Amino acid sequence: MTSERTKPATKLPRRVVLGVCGGIAAYKSPEIARRLVERGVEVQVVMTDSAAQFVTATSLQAVSGRPVRDSLWDSAAEAAMGHIELARWADKIVIAPATAHCMAQLAHGSCADLLTTLCLASHAGVVLAPAMNQAMWLHPATQRNRDLLVSAGVEFLGPADGAQACGDIGPGRMLEPIDIVAALAHDGHAGAAVSGPLNGLRVVLTAGPTREPIDPVRYITNRSSGKMGFALAAALRSVGADVLLVAGPVNLRTPAGIARIDVETAQEMHDAVHQHVAGCHIFIGCAAVADYRPAEASPHKIKRASAERALQLEPSPDVLASVAALPNSPFTVGFAAETDNVRAHAQQKLLAKQIDIIAANLVGDGRGFDNDTNELHVFWREGEKLLPEASKSALAEQLVAIISDRYAQSTRAASMTSRVG
Ligand code: CTP
């Protein structure tokens, strides 16, 4: 009898081959297997030789409930279920972690071991959750392999951005097991369709507040939950965009399939954005960046008795305006949170910052911040649209539709100009 708890989730594949390659993130693979099995999915783990350096077959067998397969030449395992049979058995092949080496092999149709042979022999969809050093991920060879695999229909989950086991910071971290399973189940917003009008386009997006330190325990900040930015990231992903989210301090989970860099100050946000914005197609400034910061942060806690009462402030960088001012600037979208004269302020910011779209909303008196709903008035040079009050996810989807449309118009106009020129 199948209990309620072990019934397969409707949208999860029934049978998954979970491929485990040799990377430090392999220590998280048993958790992926466990979470899938808990949801009623049959999981057959296939590990590479080097995976055994990071995680044991015993652990993977214990959580999946099946002996782990690791060789094309295991006659007992082949007699029970040959590798072609196994390739046919799978509804989905999920490789987590997928190393640069594995991506290279798959991109070139190599079948050097059981895992790559299965991928070649199977009609099941292949999903990769890459994990590697950031320089390896950003290397043109890896990026070429990624593009080849995407064009062959392979789906990528991640990688996420952040601190790496080797001490580097950057893209290459495997998504968390919970996010991988959510994406497979398509039960997270971003797990849903990952193709659409922004297919393959790179979007860099800021979200949340920034914190400008006064001393080690005090800071200046803006009110912002980050919910709108995170909803936008998920909505962008769901229409195929490759999204990098640069987030200030927020208490939100990264939507599935989104790379994320965490920052604290406006300067850190500015630097992280400029490190990654080259070559991106669309930049969206959704963060509530602090406009001013203390000219000097005290290294020690300022004591009440000794404190000066006035803070010396200096302007912090305007991230959005600095991106819009780049020689080959991407299509840029900004936000404006206003307490009055929304239209006038928003239109003035659109022109002053030289951006393509501005989404404005009225804040204060309980509106906007921390709420799950909002209303947006979107302006661009030639038009405007009011998006009436709705959930931030619904607004994000509507705003992404406007962005996709305006972006397509701008690229059409650019290609006309270059043809005429
Ligand atoms: N922004 C930014 N960096 C800053 C300030 C703002 O990137 N230092 C971006 C925000 O992310 C938003 C847009 O600029 O997309 C407008 O932010 P807002 O704070 O409304 O505009 P300001 O230029 O700071 O104008 P003011 O505070 O005077 O209204």
Side-chain angles (χ1 to χ4, degrees), residues 10 14 26 32 34 41 53 93 142 144 152 225 241 285 312 319 326 329-330 346 356 374 377 387 392 397:
T10 45
R14 231 155 53 88
I32 302 172
R34 184 182 63 77
V41 178
Q53 302 288 331
I93 301 178
T142 308
R144 269 197 306 277
S225 63
Q312 285 293 330
V319 185
L326 288 172
S329 67
D356 297 289
N374 206 344
H377 201 154
L387 305 179
K392 287 184 177 170
E397 279 171 13

PDB file of all heavy atoms in Angstrom, residues 10 14 26 32 34 41 53 93 142 144 152 225 241 285 312 319 326 329-330 346 356 374 377 387 392 397:
ATOM      1  N   THR A  10       2.743  14.838  -8.163  1.00  0.00           N
ATOM      2  CA  THR A  10       2.231  14.687  -9.524  1.00  0.00           C
ATOM      3  C   THR A  10       3.226  15.108 -10.586  1.00  0.00           C
ATOM      4  O   THR A  10       3.309  14.505 -11.626  1.00  0.00           O
ATOM      5  CB  THR A  10       0.923  15.486  -9.683  1.00  0.00           C
ATOM      6  OG1 THR A  10       1.147  16.758  -9.087  1.00  0.00           O
ATOM      7  CG2 THR A  10      -0.240  14.784  -9.040  1.00  0.00           C
ATOM      8  N   ARG A  14       8.803  10.002 -12.317  1.00  0.00           N
ATOM      9  CA  ARG A  14       8.604   8.824 -11.466  1.00  0.00           C
ATOM     10  C   ARG A  14       9.931   8.122 -11.185  1.00  0.00           C
ATOM     11  O   ARG A  14      10.165   7.624 -10.113  1.00  0.00           O
ATOM     12  CB  ARG A  14       7.658   7.853 -12.186  1.00  0.00           C
ATOM     13  CG  ARG A  14       6.496   7.393 -11.322  1.00  0.00           C
ATOM     14  CD  ARG A  14       5.323   6.964 -12.178  1.00  0.00           C
ATOM     15  NE  ARG A  14       5.689   5.974 -13.179  1.00  0.00           N
ATOM     16  CZ  ARG A  14       5.678   4.657 -12.958  1.00  0.00           C
ATOM     17  NH1 ARG A  14       5.351   4.172 -11.784  1.00  0.00           N
ATOM     18  NH2 ARG A  14       6.000   3.823 -13.938  1.00  0.00           N
ATOM     19  N   ALA A  26      29.414  16.872  -3.992  1.00  0.00           N
ATOM     20  CA  ALA A  26      28.831  15.525  -3.972  1.00  0.00           C
ATOM     21  C   ALA A  26      28.365  15.139  -2.565  1.00  0.00           C
ATOM     22  O   ALA A  26      27.527  14.248  -2.415  1.00  0.00           O
ATOM     23  CB  ALA A  26      29.836  14.501  -4.505  1.00  0.00           C
ATOM     24  N   ILE A  32      19.755  15.003  -1.967  1.00  0.00           N
ATOM     25  CA  ILE A  32      18.851  15.083  -3.136  1.00  0.00           C
ATOM     26  C   ILE A  32      18.114  13.750  -3.268  1.00  0.00           C
ATOM     27  O   ILE A  32      16.892  13.705  -3.442  1.00  0.00           O
ATOM     28  CB  ILE A  32      19.647  15.385  -4.424  1.00  0.00           C
ATOM     29  CG1 ILE A  32      20.425  16.691  -4.277  1.00  0.00           C
ATOM     30  CG2 ILE A  32      18.723  15.426  -5.633  1.00  0.00           C
ATOM     31  CD1 ILE A  32      21.378  16.975  -5.423  1.00  0.00           C
ATOM     32  N   ARG A  34      17.529  11.542  -0.977  1.00  0.00           N
ATOM     33  CA  ARG A  34      16.586  11.367   0.138  1.00  0.00           C
ATOM     34  C   ARG A  34      15.296  12.158  -0.113  1.00  0.00           C
ATOM     35  O   ARG A  34      14.192  11.656   0.045  1.00  0.00           O
ATOM     36  CB  ARG A  34      17.246  11.822   1.450  1.00  0.00           C
ATOM     37  CG  ARG A  34      16.386  11.600   2.679  1.00  0.00           C
ATOM     38  CD  ARG A  34      17.046  12.116   3.942  1.00  0.00           C
ATOM     39  NE  ARG A  34      17.274  13.546   3.953  1.00  0.00           N
ATOM     40  CZ  ARG A  34      16.333  14.466   4.168  1.00  0.00           C
ATOM     41  NH1 ARG A  34      15.086  14.099   4.362  1.00  0.00           N
ATOM     42  NH2 ARG A  34      16.634  15.751   4.175  1.00  0.00           N
ATOM     43  N   VAL A  41       9.638   9.174  -5.446  1.00  0.00           N
ATOM     44  CA  VAL A  41      10.357   8.973  -6.710  1.00  0.00           C
ATOM     45  C   VAL A  41      11.305   7.768  -6.556  1.00  0.00           C
ATOM     46  O   VAL A  41      11.929   7.605  -5.514  1.00  0.00           O
ATOM     47  CB  VAL A  41      11.188  10.232  -7.059  1.00  0.00           C
ATOM     48  CG1 VAL A  41      11.981  10.033  -8.343  1.00  0.00           C
ATOM     49  CG2 VAL A  41      10.275  11.451  -7.171  1.00  0.00           C
ATOM     50  N   GLN A  53      35.551   9.680  -4.403  1.00  0.00           N
ATOM     51  CA  GLN A  53      36.525  10.390  -3.563  1.00  0.00           C
ATOM     52  C   GLN A  53      35.815  11.339  -2.587  1.00  0.00           C
ATOM     53  O   GLN A  53      36.412  11.841  -1.648  1.00  0.00           O
ATOM     54  CB  GLN A  53      37.488  11.233  -4.425  1.00  0.00           C
ATOM     55  CG  GLN A  53      38.264  10.464  -5.464  1.00  0.00           C
ATOM     56  CD  GLN A  53      39.348   9.595  -4.832  1.00  0.00           C
ATOM     57  OE1 GLN A  53      39.865   9.931  -3.770  1.00  0.00           O
ATOM     58  NE2 GLN A  53      39.661   8.487  -5.467  1.00  0.00           N
ATOM     59  N   ILE A  93      17.220  12.156 -16.180  1.00  0.00           N
ATOM     60  CA  ILE A  93      18.576  11.953 -15.656  1.00  0.00           C
ATOM     61  C   ILE A  93      19.016  13.279 -15.048  1.00  0.00           C
ATOM     62  O   ILE A  93      19.050  14.306 -15.734  1.00  0.00           O
ATOM     63  CB  ILE A  93      19.559  11.510 -16.764  1.00  0.00           C
ATOM     64  CG1 ILE A  93      19.064  10.191 -17.385  1.00  0.00           C
ATOM     65  CG2 ILE A  93      20.974  11.356 -16.195  1.00  0.00           C
ATOM     66  CD1 ILE A  93      19.931   9.663 -18.522  1.00  0.00           C
ATOM     67  N   THR A 142      34.127  26.015 -20.923  1.00  0.00           N
ATOM     68  CA  THR A 142      32.954  25.534 -20.182  1.00  0.00           C
ATOM     69  C   THR A 142      31.700  26.242 -20.685  1.00  0.00           C
ATOM     70  O   THR A 142      30.637  25.630 -20.842  1.00  0.00           O
ATOM     71  CB  THR A 142      33.131  25.774 -18.663  1.00  0.00           C
ATOM     72  OG1 THR A 142      34.382  25.223 -18.276  1.00  0.00           O
ATOM     73  CG2 THR A 142      32.025  25.147 -17.862  1.00  0.00           C
ATOM     74  N   ARG A 144      31.211  27.449 -23.657  1.00  0.00           N
ATOM     75  CA  ARG A 144      30.863  26.882 -24.974  1.00  0.00           C
ATOM     76  C   ARG A 144      30.131  25.552 -24.794  1.00  0.00           C
ATOM     77  O   ARG A 144      29.132  25.281 -25.454  1.00  0.00           O
ATOM     78  CB  ARG A 144      32.142  26.650 -25.794  1.00  0.00           C
ATOM     79  CG  ARG A 144      32.549  27.826 -26.666  1.00  0.00           C
ATOM     80  CD  ARG A 144      33.541  27.403 -27.738  1.00  0.00           C
ATOM     81  NE  ARG A 144      34.713  26.716 -27.224  1.00  0.00           N
ATOM     82  CZ  ARG A 144      35.803  27.321 -26.736  1.00  0.00           C
ATOM     83  NH1 ARG A 144      35.855  28.638 -26.709  1.00  0.00           N
ATOM     84  NH2 ARG A 144      36.831  26.618 -26.303  1.00  0.00           N
ATOM     85  N   ALA A 152      21.207  21.497 -27.195  1.00  0.00           N
ATOM     86  CA  ALA A 152      20.798  20.099 -27.368  1.00  0.00           C
ATOM     87  C   ALA A 152      19.639  19.747 -26.434  1.00  0.00           C
ATOM     88  O   ALA A 152      19.237  18.589 -26.334  1.00  0.00           O
ATOM     89  CB  ALA A 152      21.984  19.175 -27.101  1.00  0.00           C
ATOM     90  N   SER A 225      12.000  44.780   1.534  1.00  0.00           N
ATOM     91  CA  SER A 225      12.023  43.355   1.900  1.00  0.00           C
ATOM     92  C   SER A 225      12.740  42.539   0.827  1.00  0.00           C
ATOM     93  O   SER A 225      13.138  41.405   1.069  1.00  0.00           O
ATOM     94  CB  SER A 225      10.595  42.834   2.033  1.00  0.00           C
ATOM     95  OG  SER A 225       9.941  42.924   0.769  1.00  0.00           O
ATOM     96  N   ALA A 241      15.190  33.550 -19.126  1.00  0.00           N
ATOM     97  CA  ALA A 241      16.392  34.366 -18.899  1.00  0.00           C
ATOM     98  C   ALA A 241      17.372  33.646 -17.973  1.00  0.00           C
ATOM     99  O   ALA A 241      16.985  32.846 -17.128  1.00  0.00           O
ATOM    100  CB  ALA A 241      16.004  35.713 -18.299  1.00  0.00           C
ATOM    101  N   GLY A 285      17.489  47.470 -11.920  1.00  0.00           N
ATOM    102  CA  GLY A 285      17.834  47.964 -10.579  1.00  0.00           C
ATOM    103  C   GLY A 285      16.575  47.988  -9.735  1.00  0.00           C
ATOM    104  O   GLY A 285      15.772  48.917  -9.831  1.00  0.00           O
ATOM    105  N   GLN A 312      28.766  62.609   9.401  1.00  0.00           N
ATOM    106  CA  GLN A 312      29.244  63.154   8.124  1.00  0.00           C
ATOM    107  C   GLN A 312      28.873  62.146   7.050  1.00  0.00           C
ATOM    108  O   GLN A 312      29.297  60.990   7.117  1.00  0.00           O
ATOM    109  CB  GLN A 312      30.773  63.277   8.155  1.00  0.00           C
ATOM    110  CG  GLN A 312      31.306  64.425   8.976  1.00  0.00           C
ATOM    111  CD  GLN A 312      30.941  65.769   8.356  1.00  0.00           C
ATOM    112  OE1 GLN A 312      30.798  65.878   7.139  1.00  0.00           O
ATOM    113  NE2 GLN A 312      30.755  66.774   9.195  1.00  0.00           N
ATOM    114  N   VAL A 319      24.086  52.825  -8.673  1.00  0.00           N
ATOM    115  CA  VAL A 319      24.370  51.608  -9.447  1.00  0.00           C
ATOM    116  C   VAL A 319      23.675  51.670 -10.809  1.00  0.00           C
ATOM    117  O   VAL A 319      24.295  51.446 -11.852  1.00  0.00           O
ATOM    118  CB  VAL A 319      23.903  50.351  -8.661  1.00  0.00           C
ATOM    119  CG1 VAL A 319      24.306  49.086  -9.397  1.00  0.00           C
ATOM    120  CG2 VAL A 319      24.465  50.354  -7.246  1.00  0.00           C
ATOM    121  N   LEU A 326      27.316  53.188 -19.149  1.00  0.00           N
ATOM    122  CA  LEU A 326      28.399  52.401 -19.777  1.00  0.00           C
ATOM    123  C   LEU A 326      28.348  52.570 -21.301  1.00  0.00           C
ATOM    124  O   LEU A 326      27.255  52.726 -21.874  1.00  0.00           O
ATOM    125  CB  LEU A 326      28.229  50.912 -19.435  1.00  0.00           C
ATOM    126  CG  LEU A 326      28.534  50.503 -17.995  1.00  0.00           C
ATOM    127  CD1 LEU A 326      28.122  49.050 -17.756  1.00  0.00           C
ATOM    128  CD2 LEU A 326      30.008  50.697 -17.680  1.00  0.00           C
ATOM    129  N   SER A 329      25.893  49.990 -22.909  1.00  0.00           N
ATOM    130  CA  SER A 329      25.021  49.665 -21.778  1.00  0.00           C
ATOM    131  C   SER A 329      23.938  48.678 -22.198  1.00  0.00           C
ATOM    132  O   SER A 329      23.445  48.719 -23.338  1.00  0.00           O
ATOM    133  CB  SER A 329      24.396  50.925 -21.217  1.00  0.00           C
ATOM    134  OG  SER A 329      23.523  51.460 -22.169  1.00  0.00           O
ATOM    135  N   PRO A 330      23.561  47.783 -21.264  1.00  0.00           N
ATOM    136  CA  PRO A 330      22.439  46.890 -21.567  1.00  0.00           C
ATOM    137  C   PRO A 330      21.136  47.681 -21.554  1.00  0.00           C
ATOM    138  O   PRO A 330      21.123  48.864 -21.213  1.00  0.00           O
ATOM    139  CB  PRO A 330      22.474  45.885 -20.401  1.00  0.00           C
ATOM    140  CG  PRO A 330      23.182  46.588 -19.294  1.00  0.00           C
ATOM    141  CD  PRO A 330      24.122  47.573 -19.929  1.00  0.00           C
ATOM    142  N   ALA A 346       8.817  59.823 -11.445  1.00  0.00           N
ATOM    143  CA  ALA A 346       9.262  58.653 -12.211  1.00  0.00           C
ATOM    144  C   ALA A 346       9.769  59.099 -13.584  1.00  0.00           C
ATOM    145  O   ALA A 346      10.838  58.665 -14.039  1.00  0.00           O
ATOM    146  CB  ALA A 346       8.120  57.659 -12.357  1.00  0.00           C
ATOM    147  N   ASP A 356      15.701  52.826 -19.820  1.00  0.00           N
ATOM    148  CA  ASP A 356      14.700  52.500 -20.827  1.00  0.00           C
ATOM    149  C   ASP A 356      13.289  52.384 -20.254  1.00  0.00           C
ATOM    150  O   ASP A 356      12.314  52.688 -20.923  1.00  0.00           O
ATOM    151  CB  ASP A 356      15.089  51.182 -21.524  1.00  0.00           C
ATOM    152  CG  ASP A 356      16.406  51.343 -22.268  1.00  0.00           C
ATOM    153  OD1 ASP A 356      16.414  52.035 -23.289  1.00  0.00           O
ATOM    154  OD2 ASP A 356      17.438  50.820 -21.790  1.00  0.00           O
ATOM    155  N   ASN A 374       1.158  44.971  -4.404  1.00  0.00           N
ATOM    156  CA  ASN A 374       1.663  46.287  -4.778  1.00  0.00           C
ATOM    157  C   ASN A 374       0.895  46.749  -6.025  1.00  0.00           C
ATOM    158  O   ASN A 374       0.103  45.978  -6.590  1.00  0.00           O
ATOM    159  CB  ASN A 374       3.168  46.168  -5.103  1.00  0.00           C
ATOM    160  CG  ASN A 374       3.892  47.475  -4.886  1.00  0.00           C
ATOM    161  OD1 ASN A 374       3.276  48.524  -4.776  1.00  0.00           O
ATOM    162  ND2 ASN A 374       5.212  47.410  -4.829  1.00  0.00           N
ATOM    163  N   HIS A 377       3.190  51.644 -11.708  1.00  0.00           N
ATOM    164  CA  HIS A 377       2.927  52.462 -12.890  1.00  0.00           C
ATOM    165  C   HIS A 377       4.227  52.467 -13.696  1.00  0.00           C
ATOM    166  O   HIS A 377       5.250  52.950 -13.226  1.00  0.00           O
ATOM    167  CB  HIS A 377       2.538  53.883 -12.453  1.00  0.00           C
ATOM    168  CG  HIS A 377       1.782  54.609 -13.512  1.00  0.00           C
ATOM    169  ND1 HIS A 377       0.899  55.613 -13.252  1.00  0.00           N
ATOM    170  CD2 HIS A 377       1.758  54.458 -14.860  1.00  0.00           C
ATOM    171  CE1 HIS A 377       0.383  56.064 -14.386  1.00  0.00           C
ATOM    172  NE2 HIS A 377       0.892  55.373 -15.374  1.00  0.00           N
ATOM    173  N   LEU A 387      -0.238  48.941 -13.845  1.00  0.00           N
ATOM    174  CA  LEU A 387      -0.496  47.561 -13.448  1.00  0.00           C
ATOM    175  C   LEU A 387      -1.218  47.629 -12.094  1.00  0.00           C
ATOM    176  O   LEU A 387      -0.596  47.937 -11.074  1.00  0.00           O
ATOM    177  CB  LEU A 387       0.816  46.767 -13.318  1.00  0.00           C
ATOM    178  CG  LEU A 387       1.727  46.765 -14.559  1.00  0.00           C
ATOM    179  CD1 LEU A 387       3.009  45.965 -14.305  1.00  0.00           C
ATOM    180  CD2 LEU A 387       0.990  46.189 -15.769  1.00  0.00           C
ATOM    181  N   LYS A 392       2.900  40.428  -5.703  1.00  0.00           N
ATOM    182  CA  LYS A 392       4.168  40.821  -6.312  1.00  0.00           C
ATOM    183  C   LYS A 392       4.570  39.834  -7.412  1.00  0.00           C
ATOM    184  O   LYS A 392       5.176  40.225  -8.410  1.00  0.00           O
ATOM    185  CB  LYS A 392       5.245  40.982  -5.236  1.00  0.00           C
ATOM    186  CG  LYS A 392       5.003  42.268  -4.423  1.00  0.00           C
ATOM    187  CD  LYS A 392       6.071  42.573  -3.392  1.00  0.00           C
ATOM    188  CE  LYS A 392       5.745  43.914  -2.715  1.00  0.00           C
ATOM    189  NZ  LYS A 392       6.554  44.225  -1.542  1.00  0.00           N
ATOM    190  N   GLU A 397       5.332  39.130 -13.243  1.00  0.00           N
ATOM    191  CA  GLU A 397       5.092  38.515 -14.555  1.00  0.00           C
ATOM    192  C   GLU A 397       4.663  39.568 -15.577  1.00  0.00           C
ATOM    193  O   GLU A 397       5.122  39.569 -16.719  1.00  0.00           O
ATOM    194  CB  GLU A 397       4.010  37.437 -14.447  1.00  0.00           C
ATOM    195  CG  GLU A 397       4.580  36.140 -13.938  1.00  0.00           C
ATOM    196  CD  GLU A 397       3.514  35.106 -13.606  1.00  0.00           C
ATOM    197  OE1 GLU A 397       2.348  35.290 -13.994  1.00  0.00           O
ATOM    198  OE2 GLU A 397       3.886  34.129 -12.930  1.00  0.00           O
TER     199      GLU A 397
END
